[in-house]
């Protein structure tokens, strides 16, 4: 099976590319390198000993996307490409809505015109909002998002559901078989491939916890600011479901296989089902790197929810997937990547 990945050189995309190549699939990567590096593609090829067909293009560039899809005619598309910085999305909502929603509409239009029908979508647990108490299950109603980035995921899910329903009813000419859509709601992807060759390479000051801790550990930053210790949790800090990025990548392999074997639409949580607090992550990372991580307690961050973790039973039942790697392996692999590549993919 040939699978095209938009954003295939990015953090989750690159790990998924490696997992797909390892599982024996042909991979085509489409990436505009706006938040990723061609070096990641070279490393993926080195790691797997396999060639990757690479196209430098923005997933919202309809003429280019159509030409690439027509040439490659992939059996499935996994759509990762998108802007993803929560804080930036508050400052640049128009760019976030334009870019993220355009990519999905463009892909759907091109797929319809070419009769391609399998789509796996990178969604986020952020769509649950604050309306529910964890563990979150897929049938819970979607909540209210706290930022434009979250809303772009929420809206893209809705677009996919509406397009799938219309294709199912035969209302859209182009799709001879109904669209097969799998939407994956990620919890907190962290860590890196065990080789330390590929990993997360944030530009500028990291927004997310694990890359920030990693940069403190390697001496690039003085200390972590813990965003609030007055939450109603055992140690007062927020709890999240941290999932090893290779577990997540393997979840995509299963999702692509599921989309190939079923028609219809399904949504799956991809999480470990186990919550850890910010301070527990700091402690686990200091064990992995062998020294203390300096931190200071700061104010709460606007938009943070206290608790978020998955009920991942549905993915286990229908995809035969569950997270296998624990917090020690997460921190070990994150440290390996960071210590071997203090400047990420740069020199
Ligand atoms: C956020 C987004 C999520 C997105 C993810 C990856 C929301 C509600 N969540 O998740 O949609 O997919 O980023 O981009 O929009 N923390 C600190 N100090 C730091 C950084 C983080 O204490 O310097 C804490 C946060 O308060 C939080 C935890 O660490 O409790 C995890 O934060 P982060 O890694 O940013 O992920 P989320 O906010 O859970």
């Amino acid at each position: 099976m040939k699978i095209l990945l938009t954003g295939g050189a990015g953090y989750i995309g690159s790990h998924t590319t490696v997992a797909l190549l390892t599982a024996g699939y042909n991979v085509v990567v489409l990436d505009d390198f706006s938040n990723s590096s061609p070096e990641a593609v070279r490393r993926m090829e080195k790691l797997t000993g396999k060639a990757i067909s690479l196209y430098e293009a923005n997933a919202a560039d309809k003429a280019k996307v159509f030409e690439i899809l027509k040439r490659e005619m992939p059996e499935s598309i996994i759509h990762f490409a998108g802007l993803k910085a929560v804080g930036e999305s508050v400052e640049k909502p128009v760019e976030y809505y334009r870019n993220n929603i355009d990519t999905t509409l463009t892909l759907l239009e091109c797929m319809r015109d070419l009769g391609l029908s399998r789509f796996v979508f990178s969604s986020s647990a952020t769509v649950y909002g604050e309306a529910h108490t964890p563990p979150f299950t897929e049938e819970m109603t979607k909540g209210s998002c706290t930022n434009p980035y979250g809303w772009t995921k929420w809206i893209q899910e809705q677009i996919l559901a509406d397009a799938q329903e219309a294709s199912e009813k035969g209302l859209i000419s182009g799709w001879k078989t109904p669209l097969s859509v799998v939407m994956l709601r990620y919890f907190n992807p962290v860590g890196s491939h065990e080789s330390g060759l590929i990993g997360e390479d944030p530009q500028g000051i990291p927004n997310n916890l694990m890359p920030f801790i990693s940069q403190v550990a390697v001496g690039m930053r003085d200390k972590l600011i813990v965003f609030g210790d007055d939450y109603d949790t055992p140690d007062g800090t927020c709890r999240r479901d941290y999932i090893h990025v290779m577990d997540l990548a393997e979840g995509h392999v299963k999702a692509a296989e599921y989309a190939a074997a079923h028609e219809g639409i399904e949504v799956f949580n991809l999480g470990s089902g186990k919550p850890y607090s910010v301070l527990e992550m700091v402690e686990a990372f200091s064990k992995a790197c062998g020294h203390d991580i300096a931190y200071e307690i700061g104010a709460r961050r606007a938009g943070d929810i206290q608790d978020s973790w998955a009920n991942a039973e549905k993915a286990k039942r229908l995809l035969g997937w569950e997270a296998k790697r624990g917090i020690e392996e997460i921190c070990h692999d994150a440290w390996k990547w960071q210590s071997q590549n203090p400047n990420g993919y740069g020199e």
Side-chain angles (χ1 to χ4, degrees):
M1 180 158 66
K2 185 194 279 185
I3 304 177
L4 181 138
L5 281 65
T6 72
Y11 174 43
I12 303 171
S14 60
H15 288 82
T16 302
T17 298
V18 167
L20 286 166
L21 289 171
T22 307
Y25 294 108
N26 290 334
V27 175
V28 179
V29 166
L30 184 155
D31 204 297
D32 67 358
F33 298 118
S34 57
N35 189 25
S36 60
S37 164
E39 175 62 15
V41 180
R42 284 192 283 278
R43 301 229 188 149
M44 291 188 264
E45 289 183 327
K46 185 176 165 192
L47 192 53
T48 59
K50 297 190 178 164
I52 295 166
S53 309
L54 174 66
Y55 294 93
E56 185 169 348
N58 184 295
D61 182 339
K62 193 172 173 191
K64 267 196 188 172
V65 169
F66 186 81
E67 187 194 313
I68 294 163
L69 289 180
K70 192 171 173 202
R71 184 176 318 148
E72 296 288 348
M73 292 300 276
E75 274 84 11
S76 284
I77 292 172
I78 308 184
H79 180 33
F80 294 102
L83 302 175
K84 61 167 189 175
V86 171
E88 187 185 59
S89 79
V90 176
E91 288 154 29
K92 298 180 176 174
V94 178
E95 285 87 341
Y96 269 67
Y97 285 111
R98 164 65 77 192
N99 180 79
N100 289 3
I101 293 167
D102 242 9
T103 57
T104 291
L105 293 174
T106 299
L107 287 165
L108 284 173
E109 285 173 342
C110 294
M111 287 171 69
R112 175 197 62 200
D113 295 346
L114 293 165
L116 301 172
S117 63
R118 292 168 189 149
F119 197 87
V120 177
F121 178 60
S122 248
S123 191
S124 168
T126 198
V127 302
Y128 290 112
E130 291 181 271
H132 309 283
T133 308
F136 299 135
T137 55
E138 293 85 349
E139 60 275 9
M140 285 174 169
T141 49
K142 290 194 282 175
S144 182
C145 298
T146 54
N147 56 77
Y149 156 80
W151 283 115
T152 69
K153 293 293 180 190
W154 200 105
I155 293 165
Q156 286 175 90
E157 282 201 1
Q158 189 62 42
I159 291 168
L160 288 166
D162 290 341
Q164 200 287 323
E165 192 182 333
S167 78
E168 187 89 49
K169 291 179 177 159
L171 298 173
I172 304 179
S173 58
W175 281 303
K176 288 182 197 70
T177 52
L179 260 181
S180 172
V181 176
V182 174
M183 305 197 286
L184 302 174
R185 292 181 181 157
Y186 310 154
F187 282 72
N188 289 59
V190 287
S192 46
H193 188 270
E194 60 181 8
S195 63
L197 277 176
I198 57 170
E200 187 169 13
D201 183 17
Q203 292 175 0
I205 301 170
N207 306 300
N208 299 114
L209 179 67
M210 281 296 272
F212 205 105
I213 293 181
S214 303
Q215 292 193 2
V216 174
V218 83
M220 286 170 71
R221 311 213 172 261
D222 290 345
K223 59 176 182 246
L224 170 77
I225 306 294
V226 175
F227 297 143
D229 71 346
D230 56 351
Y231 288 95
D232 185 16
T233 62
D235 65 17
T237 64
C238 294
R239 293 179 292 189
R240 294 288 183 274
D241 183 333
Y242 295 94
I243 174 167
H244 195 295
V245 68
M246 281 311 296
D247 278 328
L248 194 69
E250 287 160 13
H252 287 75
V253 177
K254 298 284 189 189
E257 289 167 350
Y258 187 91
H262 299 80
E263 285 172 3
I265 184 161
E266 289 292 349
V267 51
F268 295 101
N269 286 338
L270 292 185
S272 71
K274 293 186 202 83
Y276 287 98
S277 73
V278 176
L279 291 179
E280 284 171 331
M281 294 308 286
V282 170
E283 196 187 324
F285 204 99
S286 56
K287 275 192 194 137
C289 72
H291 58 82
D292 284 349
I293 307 290
Y295 72 86
E296 193 179 288
I297 305 295
R300 289 183 177 197
R301 179 172 66 177
D304 272 344
I305 59 172
Q306 175 175 295
D307 285 322
S308 166
W309 65 90
N311 174 322
E313 285 304 311
K314 185 177 173 189
K316 189 174 176 184
R317 192 161 37 84
L318 296 185
L319 300 180
W321 172 90
E322 64 185 321
K324 292 186 292 224
R325 299 159 177 91
I327 190 177
E328 291 82 17
E329 207 166 339
I330 284 173
C331 294
H332 174 271
D333 294 343
W335 175 236
K336 187 164 184 183
W337 157 255
Q338 187 68 51
S339 51
Q340 286 180 7
N341 308 272
N343 299 313
Y345 292 115
E347 279 79 55

